[in-house]
């Protein structure tokens, strides 16, 4: 697994806008990405969201935003949609995901990072239903509330299981689609 997968998946357009060398700490690269997405710079830096397929037809690039039913994920999905990408919101709660998709005018697929079966089903759906993936925004995460009485040592295992390991498994599973898109010349 490449620790730069999230940044690399978004591509060179943002890298040119907010340059961060690969030697920069990972959190700095991801912070630049988050700033680019949430500050509205995305729409001005990602012009020309279509590419011409082998049949000469224009096709929209596909972005997946995990945890996009509220908060930052919702706003990222909104900006990507407004920038001309076809967006799939990936949420564990079907009702909230479908409501977000309806509001945004995009599509919803169910993804629960706590379940290996859900990760596999989600990836299989992307392969069979969409056949491509150009942008992956790993936003889904869990967090304990500050007032939660659970001891910190008992919070770390479930937090790391979802926020790191499950996200890594999802990214690993989707890398073939991302690489295929890049190989076809579809750079976001």
């Amino acid at each position: 697994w490449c620790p730069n997968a999230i940044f690399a998946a978004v591509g060179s357009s943002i890298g040119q806008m907010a340059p961060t060398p690969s030697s920069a700490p990972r959190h700095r690269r991801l912070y630049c990405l988050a700033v680019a997405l949430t500050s509205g710079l995305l729409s001005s830096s990602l012009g020309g969201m279509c590419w011409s397929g082998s049949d000469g037809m224009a096709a929209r690039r596909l972005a997946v935003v995990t945890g996009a039913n509220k908060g930052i994920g919702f706003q990222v999905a909104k900006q990507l949609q407004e920038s001309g990408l076809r967006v799939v919101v990936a949420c564990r709660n079907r009702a909230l995901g479908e409501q977000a998709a309806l509001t945004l005018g995009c599509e919803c697929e169910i993804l629960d990072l706590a379940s290996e079966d859900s990760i596999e089903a989600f990836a299989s759906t992307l392969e069979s239903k969409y056949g491509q993936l150009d942008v992956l925004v790993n936003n889904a995460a869990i967090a304990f509330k500050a007032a939660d009485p659970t001891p910190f040592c008992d919070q770390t295992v479930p937090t790391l299981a979802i926020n790191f390991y499950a996200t890594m498994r999802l990214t690993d599973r989707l890398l073939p689609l991302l690489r295929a898109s890049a190989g076809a010349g579809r750079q976001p």
Side-chain angles (χ1 to χ4, degrees):
W1 182 72
C2 171
N4 298 330
I6 301 168
F7 188 75
V10 174
S12 61
S13 298
I14 291 175
Q16 292 168 0
M17 177 192 55
T20 54
S22 60
S23 61
R26 182 168 185 258
H27 68 276
R28 180 170 168 230
R29 292 192 306 270
L30 295 180
Y31 173 75
C32 290
L33 169 61
V35 169
L37 292 173
T38 58
S39 67
L41 296 173
L42 179 65
S43 59
S44 64
S45 67
L46 292 180
M49 298 319 308
C50 294
W51 71 94
S52 181
S54 59
D55 60 358
M57 299 293 290
R60 289 175 65 192
R61 294 181 178 151
L62 182 71
V64 167
V65 183
T66 67
N69 61 294
K70 62 182 179 178
I72 292 173
F74 182 88
Q75 293 302 318
V76 169
K78 180 179 177 186
Q79 287 190 17
L80 289 170
Q81 179 79 4
E82 290 171 352
S83 296
L85 277 83
R86 181 178 180 193
V87 177
V88 174
V89 296
C91 305
R92 66 180 175 204
N93 182 307
R94 181 176 302 278
L96 295 176
E98 288 176 352
Q99 180 59 46
L102 181 65
T103 301
L104 295 169
C106 59
E107 299 168 62
C108 175
E109 298 294 341
I110 302 306
L111 171 64
D112 183 354
L113 288 175
S115 165
E116 280 291 327
D117 290 340
S118 180
I119 291 171
E120 182 57 36
F122 178 77
S124 294
T125 297
L126 283 181
E127 290 167 343
S128 64
K129 184 175 178 180
Y130 301 96
Q132 70 183 70
L133 178 58
D134 301 286
V135 178
L136 172 60
V137 180
N138 283 314
N139 175 70
I142 64 166
F144 284 83
K145 304 290 185 209
D148 192 306
T150 306
F152 180 74
C153 62
D154 293 337
Q155 294 180 18
T156 51
V157 170
T159 301
L160 285 173
I162 299 297
N163 298 359
F164 178 73
Y165 294 108
T167 299
M168 181 179 70
R169 283 191 299 276
L170 175 66
T171 303
D172 275 345
R173 184 59 179 82
L174 297 178
L175 275 175
L177 283 173
L178 288 165
R179 287 184 180 131
S181 290
R186 296 190 308 257
Q187 296 294 324

